[in-house]
Amino acid sequence: MEQYSNVFKENRATITSTVVLDYAFVEGEDTDTYQLVRFGEGEPWNILYHGFLLGSLTKVDGLWIAENASGLNGEQIFALGKFIDSQPFNQLPDRIKTHWEEFVKEVVLERNNSYLVICREEIDFAMFSLMFDAFIAELVEDGTPVRFKVYNATFSDDFQLAV
């Protein structure tokens, strides 16, 4: 296991879109802390315990499925999946797209607390940049600093904003 653990740590350092979460699972008086790592959008979540890779979690048809995670029971898998689903970075893209559905085509998590926002064609990008700047702070709920890089539909114009 140690050999694979080192490879895992090396790969983690070279990828910029990595998301890392820490989760404490309390069972009676015992507390186990797991680290959840996703290397990129759409990739499975790797489950680490004391630095060792236990397996991975993938969401399929709305259900969290564990692969190669024989050390976890169904309750733990459900709790880890629920924890991932509750993270602000999972909710913010949908809030932005819903709030500005006539302006925003896609919102992509680039890395922890950094998003790419891609606008729709045929919008007034200058007007949208003013609206986005004025109201985005209301959609960011968790108080953690968040960075946005916003592009027009053809990627010929952009602006950046930190909230």
Side-chain angles (χ1 to χ4, degrees):
M1 187 76 164
E2 185 63 33
Q3 176 184 7
Y4 297 110
S5 178
N6 290 335
V7 171
F8 183 83
K9 289 175 185 175
E10 289 172 15
N11 287 341
R12 179 179 162 203
T14 61
I15 298 173
T16 60
S17 61
T18 301
V19 177
V20 179
L21 303 173
D22 294 318
Y23 178 76
F25 186 79
V26 179
E27 193 170 37
E29 293 184 18
D30 296 329
T31 301
D32 290 323
T33 303
Y34 296 90
Q35 193 168 51
L36 302 165
V37 181
R38 184 181 70 185
F39 291 122
E41 188 75 26
E43 294 288 321
W45 286 89
N46 295 289
I47 308 163
L48 286 93
Y49 182 70
H50 294 290
F52 290 97
L53 181 62
L54 293 180
S56 64
L57 281 177
T58 305
K59 195 169 193 178
V60 178
D61 297 328
L63 297 173
W64 285 99
I65 308 296
E67 296 179 21
N68 301 320
S70 59
L72 297 174
N73 63 40
E75 180 183 349
Q76 291 168 314
I77 293 166
F78 177 79
L80 291 170
K82 186 176 177 182
F83 176 70
I84 293 167
D85 285 338
S86 72
Q87 297 304 302
F89 65 80
N90 280 328
Q91 299 166 4
L92 186 57
D94 287 337
R95 284 198 305 265
I96 292 170
K97 288 193 304 189
T98 300
H99 188 79
W100 286 298
E101 65 184 314
E102 64 276 7
F103 295 97
V104 175
K105 179 178 180 181
E106 192 62 53
V107 179
V108 178
L109 176 67
E110 184 179 31
R111 65 179 78 75
N112 282 1
N113 299 322
S114 180
Y115 297 86
L116 302 176
V117 178
I118 303 155
C119 292
R120 296 186 182 279
E121 294 180 24
E122 302 177 15
I123 67 161
D124 183 340
F125 189 68
M127 181 184 74
F128 176 70
S129 69
L130 294 172
M131 289 188 318
F132 192 85
D133 186 27
F135 295 106
I136 189 60
E138 294 177 15
L139 297 179
V140 177
E141 295 178 347
D142 68 348
T144 305
V146 179
R147 297 190 51 80
F148 298 95
K149 184 147 188 183
V150 184
Y151 293 94
N152 67 0
T154 61
F155 294 91
S156 60
D157 197 5
D158 66 78
F159 65 91
Q160 294 184 39
L161 182 65
V163 178

